[in-house]
Amino acid sequence: MDALATVLVRRLSRVSLPAGGEVPEDAVPWVSTLEADLAERGWLLDARLRARFTELTAHTRMLWADWLLALADEWTGADRQHLPLYRQFPDTPAEPEAVFVNRLLAELFQAPDAPCVLCGDYGDVNPVSPCGHLVCAPCFDPAHYTACAICGRRGDGSFLRVAKPSRSGRPKSDPVRWKRLTLDETPKATAVRLRDDLVVRPTALNEADAADLRTLIEATALRKLDWLPDTVPARETLALVLAWALPPAARLSAYPEILRQAVARWTTATDAARCLWAYSGGDAGLILPRREPSDGPDEGWRPWHEPKVTVAVPRVGPLPRAMRRAVLAFLDGLDLPTLAEDLARHPKVWKRLAERLHPFEQAGTHPRAAVAFAALRQTRTPIDGLLGFAVAEAAAEHPDRVVPTYHPGGLVSVRVRTFASLVEAAVAADDVVTATALLAGRPGDLWRRLDHLLRLAADDPDATELVLDTAVQTAARVSPTVLAGAFAELHDRDATVAVRLAHAQVAAQVAARGKARQVVVRYEHPTPELRGPLPGTPRRTFFPKGDVVRTWTEPEYRKRLAATTVTQVRTAVDVELTRRAAGQERFDVAVIDAALGGVPAPSRERAGSEQLAGWPRGSFRALGEADVLRLFLHWTDGPTFRVDLDLSCAFYNADWEEVGHCDYTRLRFGKRAAIHSGDLTSAPPPGGATEYLDLDRAALHAAGVTWAVPVVFSYNDVPFEALTAAFAGFSLPLDRKTQFDPARVLQRFTLRGDAKALLPMILRVETGTVMWADASLTSPGYAHRVGNRGPRLGRVAADLWEHFDNGKRASLLDLVAWHAAARADRVLVAYADGTAAEVPTGSAEAIRAAALLPSGSMRPGPLSGCRILAAATGPDRLTAYAGPDAAPGSVAVLVDGIAGPPWTALAAADLAALPPLP
């Protein structure tokens, strides 16, 4: 089985078995056994796939069966050995503090060839490999531990034997997730369709999607570009495809044509930078690893023999001469001020690329490119040289944008006034007319700054009308994701409540500096060392660009916008995106799950973790009647360095005040409310290390806990990106004695990115509601742990929960509503109680209003034979709302799970693929 087969199973639940022959005699009982094994993992075979398995030879069917079972185990993490420090977890020591004291005494005072400092016995104290700690077997029973009882390191087992937990066979329990496998007779055609769907996705792909796209391209169009659509919405995706197509050697006969096609796809200098950076093995988003201070918190705890592990910046290798010439020729053909501005957006990347492009050597043939790099590097060049003449010509051609500076010794340098500086100058002067006129040439920037422009124009009706008219006129040229973002950002802006400034002098400072200036605002709160507003106060949460998602919060100081202004902008977005959707195929009926109003539309997917469930960031999931939530973490050491990850959880009351925590320093919280499996400090492959943490909802609630915030820390400061294998997740165990039950795994996600702390989710204890956060925490220094982060961690969690709970992001309901309003002859909004409401077609606002109702006024009739556009939170609701007999060509969008035949599955992110229409 190849990589393509794996992609098809993982993404579409399709298996492309080879053609069969005669049915072997034992085919039926053998397939029944296979079905039983798969069902234990939550995987089912449909009738056609089951019949095909019965036609395979014994050798072939065994190969495919082993592969499917291995893939199912990998899906949940069951392919790994899960051994916590305490073998009998969750039956860990009832008094972990006493165990810690014993460990400390043994560490400090135990000597070789001496009686045990704890029990006084001779002959039972032995060193443990590789740490060398002297451990007494009666005091630290080897049957209870899987690693050194003193430090938690694993070694060769010379004293403590690493063995599987004592249980027989795979646990028998009902899976919490089901996956229905179907037969795919045309895998290449399916691969082409899936490839084309990923390429036209309007947002940048995450690592897993990008890897799948590369597999699909290599299987269908290796070293070809003629299959690409005319427009690829995501610039990063385009850069990856072009970089993969370019041969590694220019000697190949196809190189000139592929290079020509690649350059023809570029429209900006940043496009070229993305392609070259990806060609060199870098991030197509041009995001570089973070630089952290060398003297961070607790840096003194770092062992002298453990070097600091960092994520390396990609090195730009030699570029073929033909590529260098093509890149410089392309750059030279661009408008110089725009070119210089693009280079200045990513200075480090372009300076590294310039080391291979040698732009100054081509100043005579490519003068604009040379001048742009001279502005980037602040190069001083002789006035009478080729580059000096190029600077003079550029200044004469663009006197308002290109500013030369003359220096002693006959030298000259150049500075280019950027478009952003012109806009900022107009905004600083409260010149709304000029700012709007400038931004009208860049509609995307205008819509991103629309709220700011409307605030500047709030006291001038004519200026407000100008901004609104310009926004409406340019909406047709703006990407759907930007429009949807502006639509959500203006939600309830007519009801915004600004915070009261703590000091009158700050308010005066704001007035003195003007509306466009942003100042530091301080608040009175009980912990002045924490920056930012308190939970519950009006504030804004931002998600800066990066390879992982981090948050930044500031007080809400904006004035309200007029209700009519908000309505005009949101209506304009509704009209524009509905108009774009109308150009796509139609459906007889659209069935929409009202619960989608609480599911944010996918955003920043490129910075997300690869996960089992596929939940969008900010989505809320109900655990139902589950009493215990079991968190798990598994990892292995790096090839040359030790890795110490820690699974932790912080607890807060209803006001986000810290109640306590559970981690390797506190193995129990409230006796049984939270139980940790013990601290493992190394994870030698292939076995690795596993930590568990049980959360008992009833006991937590009794202890006054409202919020539980799990966190994964890299204690010894190794970035997740440097790990060879690391994942975490949580399950809903039925039998707490069974440590890892793959059938009960609800979510599994990989640890990735240049980060050392991850907040995967937030649990509201009393309701059993989980919000998927997938947010990284800034973690300089060493010895990262939850004990010294409690209040700040609570701030981050509160910011995330309130941000997504208050509708500040476009929802999946919004995306579906734009499609349903334009493409369906009937629109039904379905509710959890089995009722539905029929809303008028052509109105996205009517769909949103209906979704707010608790129930509908009708029972939906049968939809057999109808082509349906359905959107639901999961397969169960899809069947309940739309029925099992949808006509061919029906499309289903699910938040969690995959819709099988006759449905055509559509990813939620693909709904945003609404390119501008002419």
Side-chain angles (χ1 to χ4, degrees), residues 119-318:
C119 66
D121 289 346
Y122 283 90
D124 290 319
V125 177
N126 295 286
V128 180
S129 174
C131 57
H133 283 117
L134 299 171
V135 178
C136 175
C139 295
F140 300 98
D141 189 349
H144 295 166
Y145 295 88
T146 65
C148 174
I150 306 300
C151 68
R153 291 193 67 176
R154 283 190 169 152
D156 58 11
S158 59
F159 172 63
L160 300 174
R161 180 174 54 87
V162 176
K164 294 184 178 180
S166 57
R167 61 176 176 81
S168 58
R170 179 179 291 271
K172 308 293 184 181
S173 55
D174 294 332
V176 294
R177 311 182 61 84
W178 292 96
K179 187 182 185 71
R180 187 179 182 85
L181 303 178
T182 60
L183 180 65
D184 193 338
E185 300 277 13
T186 57
K188 286 301 178 79
T190 303
V192 169
R193 180 178 64 81
L194 184 55
R195 176 201 70 189
D196 294 345
D197 288 344
L198 286 174
V199 163
V200 299
R201 185 169 291 182
T203 55
L205 305 177
N206 59 30
E207 289 182 358
D209 287 342
D212 288 349
L213 178 59
R214 185 164 193 173
T215 299
L216 294 167
I217 292 175
E218 291 176 350
T220 59
L222 181 63
R223 306 293 182 200
K224 295 180 181 178
L225 292 174
D226 53 1
W227 60 273
L228 272 177
D230 294 336
T231 302
V232 178
R235 299 297 182 98
E236 295 179 26
T237 303
L238 176 63
L240 289 173
V241 173
L242 299 181
W244 295 335
L246 287 169
R251 296 188 302 272
L252 299 179
S253 59
Y255 187 87
E257 178 59 22
I258 295 177
L259 179 62
R260 184 195 65 78
Q261 294 180 29
V263 173
R265 291 276 180 170
W266 299 341
T267 57
T268 67
T270 305
D271 289 344
R274 294 185 194 278
C275 182
L276 295 178
W277 201 246
Y279 180 80
S280 301
D283 181 4
L286 304 182
I287 298 173
L288 301 178
R290 294 165 59 93
R291 296 186 61 183
E292 296 183 351
S294 58
D295 57 345
D298 295 326
E299 189 64 36
W301 287 90
R302 186 187 299 275
W304 64 269
H305 59 275
E306 282 194 2
K308 185 176 179 62
V309 180
T310 59
V311 179
V313 178
R315 179 180 179 182
V316 181

Side-chain angles (χ1 to χ4, degrees), residues 21 168 213 229 280 286 324 345 575 588 740:
S168 58
L213 178 59
S280 301
L286 304 182
R324 297 200 305 269
R345 285 196 181 99
V575 170
D588 298 324
F740 187 84

Side-chain angles (χ1 to χ4, degrees), residues 700-764:
L700 286 172
H701 185 64
V705 175
T706 301
W707 307 97
V709 184
V711 189
V712 177
F713 287 105
S714 175
Y715 177 87
N716 64 337
D717 202 44
V718 177
F720 296 146
E721 190 71 16
L723 304 182
T724 54
F727 61 85
F730 62 91
S731 62
L732 307 177
L734 294 178
D735 177 13
R736 296 187 68 173
K737 296 293 184 181
T738 301
Q739 293 177 354
F740 187 84
D741 186 350
R744 304 296 297 174
V745 173
L746 189 62
Q747 175 66 296
R748 173 194 180 277
F749 53 92
T750 58
L751 304 179
R752 58 160 301 277
D754 188 13
K756 295 115 179 191
L758 176 69
L759 189 163
M761 65 179 189
I762 304 168
L763 169 66
R764 187 159 193 164

Side-chain angles (χ1 to χ4, degrees), residues 640-709:
T640 59
F641 51 86
R642 179 180 67 93
V643 180
D644 181 2
L645 301 187
D646 288 318
L647 184 59
S648 312
C649 191
F651 305 114
Y652 304 88
N653 62 17
D655 296 324
W656 286 102
E657 297 172 341
E658 188 178 11
V659 177
H661 65 269
C662 182
D663 69 341
Y664 71 95
T665 67
R666 185 175 298 176
L667 299 184
R668 286 179 178 262
F669 172 80
K671 292 190 179 298
R672 66 179 184 87
I675 304 175
H676 195 282
S677 65
D679 184 29
L680 290 170
T681 60
S682 69
T690 296
E691 291 186 4
Y692 294 108
L693 201 160
D694 274 6
L695 302 178
D696 188 313
R697 287 175 50 202
L700 286 172
H701 185 64
V705 175
T706 301
W707 307 97
V709 184

Side-chain angles (χ1 to χ4, degrees), residues 618-632:
S619 59
F620 295 85
R621 319 300 297 166
L623 298 181
E625 300 300 323
D627 297 325
V628 176
L629 187 72
R630 175 163 294 170
L631 311 173
F632 61 85

